[in-house]
């Protein structure tokens, strides 16, 4: 009887241990002029990042054959799904590929989400979010359609609004719809699930006088988003991404005016603390997103190089 008890105890311990396997933070990135493709950095604490040398996926699609703003998320089945900007100007879609280990990738696909808009100027910084309530992926991006909205302080070819599609399998996509129109040019939005029916939209006010990062709040990942904050960052900042570390959230952003990366820490998205002095990123790191990987996946990435 004692032997059976010991075996059961060890079995339960093994299950408990397996459920607590260490997760590593992974930060996607690109390098100018964006022709080299996907770069990766990893961190155990969410603050100090070590770059993995070389590109992990070369861009093959889009007129410009570039990969900017790679956004990645891990689905419920463990598959990593990534979308990216394929053209700085022109084009009516974004790139997509998936992978189980971030080394072997599916065939790259071009998703023409704005093909119904012949005057569209661009499709910028697609951002992917997994909605664990509806079990579907939401992809948002910024596009300019001249004369579609009030111009404000921007010219017609720089007057962005956010759009979106949803998909469950990356084969069938919903119709493209307007996602967010704050009444001014907006880009680089990121969806954060803070709690049940408690979502945050991190956004860049892209108007010439501002060009900084703010947040707004909603009860659904599809909005509406209201109670927009005052600017959280200085002039000429963009490319935000958010990761939860412990009980706090870190909001990373590209402070491109000063040519450096910065980070804010918050527990509620109302009060923020500048923790830029506590972070370390690889030189040349550009606009990406953060997900998590297992130690086994990290081992494979390191050994690949």
């Amino acid at each position: 009887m004692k032997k059976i008890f010991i075996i059961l105890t060890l079995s339960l311990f093994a299950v408990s241990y397996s459920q607590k396997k260490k997760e590593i933070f992974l930060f996607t990135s690109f390098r100018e002029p964006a022709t080299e493709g996907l770069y990766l950095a990893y961190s155990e604490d969410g603050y100090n990042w070590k770059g993995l040398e070389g590109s992990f996926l070369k861009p093959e699609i889009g007129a410009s054959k570039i990969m900017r703003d790679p956004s990645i998320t891990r689905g419920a089945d463990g598959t990593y799904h990534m979308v990216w900007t394929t053209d700085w100007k022109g084009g009516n879609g974004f790139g997509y590929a998936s992978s189980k280990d971030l080394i072997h990738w599916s065939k790259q696909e071009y998703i023409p989400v704005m093909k119904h808009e012949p005057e569209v100027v661009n499709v910028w910084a697609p951002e992917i979010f997994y909605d664990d309530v509806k079990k579907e992926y939401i992809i948002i991006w910024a596009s300019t359609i001249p004369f579609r909205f009030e111009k404000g302080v921007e010219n017609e070819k720089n007057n962005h609004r956010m759009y979106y599609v949803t998909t469950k399998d990356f084969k069938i996509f919903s119709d493209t719809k307007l996602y967010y129109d704050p009444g001014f040019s907006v880009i680089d939005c990121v969806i954060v699930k803070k709690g049940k029916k408690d979502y945050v939209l991190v956004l860049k006010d892209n108007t010439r006088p501002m060009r900084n990062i703010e947040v707004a709040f909603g009860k659904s990942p599809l909005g509406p988003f209201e109670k927009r904050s005052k600017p959280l960052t200085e002039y000429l900042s963009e490319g935000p991404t958010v990761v939860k570390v412990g009980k706090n959230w870190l909001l990373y952003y590209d402070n491109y005016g000063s040519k450096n990366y910065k980070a804010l820490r918050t527990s509620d998205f109302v009060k923020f603390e500048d923790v830029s002095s506590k972070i370390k990123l690889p030189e040349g790191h550009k606009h990406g997103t953060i997900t998590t990987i297992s130690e086994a996946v990290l081992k494979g990435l390191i050994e690949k190089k």
Side-chain angles (χ1 to χ4, degrees):
M1 192 72 178
K2 185 180 289 185
K3 287 184 179 179
I4 294 173
F5 175 76
I6 292 171
I7 291 170
L8 285 172
T9 301
L10 289 173
S11 176
L12 288 170
F13 174 78
V15 171
S16 176
Y17 178 77
S18 68
Q19 289 174 341
K20 295 180 180 179
K21 286 183 178 178
K22 187 176 181 180
E23 290 285 294
I24 309 296
F25 297 108
L26 186 83
F27 210 149
T28 64
S29 177
F30 73 98
R31 299 288 185 273
E32 296 289 7
T35 53
E36 289 300 305
L38 175 65
Y39 281 77
L40 300 173
Y42 68 95
S43 173
E44 294 188 11
D45 62 5
Y47 289 81
N48 296 284
W49 300 85
K50 185 174 182 179
L52 292 162
E53 293 300 320
S55 171
F56 285 81
L57 184 64
K58 300 273 187 175
E60 299 173 351
I61 57 174
S64 306
K65 298 292 190 297
I66 63 171
M67 181 181 288
R68 297 178 63 92
D69 323 314
S71 173
I72 194 168
T73 193
R74 183 173 60 180
D77 64 350
T79 300
Y80 292 93
H81 300 276
M82 186 173 74
V83 293
W84 66 90
T85 304
T86 60
D87 297 280
W88 179 248
K89 293 291 183 182
N92 58 19
F94 52 75
Y96 165 74
S98 65
S99 176
K100 288 286 189 181
D101 58 8
L102 303 171
I103 297 171
H104 304 95
W105 290 86
S106 65
K107 182 180 178 181
Q108 296 178 35
E109 298 179 49
Y110 185 79
I111 313 298
V113 288
M114 297 297 277
K115 64 182 180 181
H116 60 293
E117 295 286 358
E119 301 302 318
V120 69
V121 174
N122 55 356
V123 173
W124 274 2
E127 187 78 17
I128 188 168
F129 174 84
Y130 180 64
D131 182 354
D132 59 1
V133 177
K134 293 186 176 181
K135 310 299 181 185
E136 66 183 11
Y137 299 88
I138 302 170
I139 305 165
I140 60 176
W141 68 90
S143 284
T144 290
I145 304 171
F147 306 102
R148 180 63 54 86
F149 301 96
E150 288 189 21
K151 185 166 68 66
V153 297
E154 297 305 307
N155 65 50
E156 291 294 349
K157 292 190 175 182
N158 195 48
N159 194 21
H160 298 80
R161 295 300 186 275
M162 296 298 300
Y163 295 84
Y164 81 99
V165 292
T166 62
T167 183
K168 291 182 180 293
D169 57 9
F170 293 91
K171 296 176 182 177
I172 299 173
F173 293 84
S174 68
D175 291 338
T176 297
K177 296 180 181 178
L178 182 67
Y179 181 76
Y180 183 56
D181 173 19
F184 53 82
S185 182
V186 59
I187 66 171
D188 291 359
C189 288
V190 175
I191 306 168
V192 179
K193 183 175 183 178
K194 187 166 168 281
K196 186 177 181 181
K197 293 186 178 181
D198 186 4
Y199 294 83
V200 179
L201 185 68
V202 186
L203 61 116
K204 178 188 177 183
D205 180 339
N206 198 45
T207 56
R208 301 302 91 179
M210 305 302 288
R211 287 191 275 186
N212 45 34
I213 295 167
E214 304 170 356
V215 294
F217 303 89
K219 296 180 180 180
S220 158
L222 295 179
F225 291 96
E226 301 168 331
K227 297 181 180 179
R228 187 166 52 86
S229 73
K230 293 181 179 179
L232 305 176
T233 64
E234 62 191 87
Y235 181 60
L236 300 182
S237 50
E238 64 183 9
T241 191
V242 177
V243 61
K244 192 171 187 181
V245 180
K247 295 182 179 180
N248 293 308
W249 302 84
L250 296 181
L251 193 166
Y252 280 89
Y253 63 96
D254 187 345
N255 193 49
Y256 69 98
S258 299
K259 294 182 171 57
N260 56 32
Y261 239 80
K262 288 193 170 186
L264 301 174
R265 182 165 59 197
T266 183
S267 61
D268 56 9
F269 288 90
V270 176
K271 295 179 180 178
F272 292 84
E273 174 191 4
D274 189 335
V275 291
S276 302
S277 63
K278 301 180 186 296
I279 67 170
K280 185 177 181 181
L281 284 158
E283 186 176 353
H285 185 86
K286 296 284 290 183
H287 189 163
T289 54
I290 301 172
T291 186
T292 58
I293 58 174
S294 66
E295 289 182 294
V297 169
L298 176 60
K299 184 173 183 288
L301 293 172
I302 293 172
E303 291 179 348
K304 177 181 181 292
K305 297 303 177 182

